[in-house]
Amino acid sequence: MAETIFTKILRGDIPCHRVYEDDHVLAFLDINPIARGHTLVIPKEAAASLDQLSDDSAAAIGRVLPRIARAVLAATGATNFNILQNNGAPAHQAVFHVHFHIIPKHADGSGLEMEWNAGQLHDGAALATAIAAHATVPR
Ligand code: 5GP
């Protein structure tokens, strides 16, 4: 995988406003926040997208994501927030190193806005079976 700006942040070549770090995870403020407190949580493992991440790194992120979200809420006074995780350029991923956005939704309306084009589920049984067949494969 090509080196990204987040690899340089992990190495300390580029500064960041660090809010959390352990052996597997780093969290820091987004340089172009869409809301005050907008924080990025990344694995130290260099994986381009979430489907390529190891189970160990996924577990390490999952363990601390709620804790960092609580910290963002406590520090900003927000009580609502979104977790955003983009994979692939058409899905709005710009930095190809896995990252979770924690985005507070503030009373002034700042935060994540989205269009949600809900449809109807037609082939639920067949689709669930097809997905379930792959869902037990660890990485
Ligand atoms: P994506 O669209 O890939 O999900 O989001 C990438 C995020 O990384 C963007 O919100 C962008 O502002 C943030 N970002 C890009 N470069 C840097 C940087 O050098 N430092 C920090 N702190 N954030 C960055």
Side-chain angles (χ1 to χ4, degrees):
M1 156 183 154
E3 186 166 293
T4 70
I5 196 99
F6 291 172
T7 309
K8 293 180 177 140
I9 287 175
L10 282 167
R11 259 204 320 261
D13 294 349
I14 290 179
C16 69
H17 293 291
R18 194 168 300 232
V19 302
Y20 176 85
E21 183 166 15
D22 64 29
D23 288 349
H24 304 285
V25 178
L26 176 68
F28 52 96
L29 296 180
D30 194 294
I31 201 166
N32 293 128
I34 63 169
R36 181 169 163 75
H38 182 170
T39 296
L40 300 174
V41 184
I42 71 172
K44 292 191 171 175
E45 178 185 334
S49 56
L50 190 64
D51 53 293
Q52 294 170 13
L53 193 63
S54 71
D55 286 1
D56 282 349
S57 286
I61 286 209
R63 199 172 64 82
V64 296
L65 200 51
R67 188 193 308 177
I68 301 167
R70 280 192 298 273
V72 170
L73 296 181
T76 63
T79 52
N80 303 295
F81 66 103
N82 293 97
I83 300 292
L84 177 68
Q85 206 282 310
N86 299 326
N87 298 280
H92 303 287
Q93 185 178 11
V95 179
F96 293 89
H97 181 124
V98 172
H99 52 282
F100 288 77
H101 298 256
I102 299 174
I103 308 170
K105 190 73 181 173
H106 293 299
D108 66 2
S110 62
L112 183 66
E113 293 182 7
M114 63 179 119
E115 212 175 302
W116 190 274
N117 299 318
Q120 292 290 322
L121 181 61
H122 295 298
D123 60 342
L127 183 57
T129 300
I131 295 171
H134 297 278
T136 55
V137 181
R139 183 154 189 132

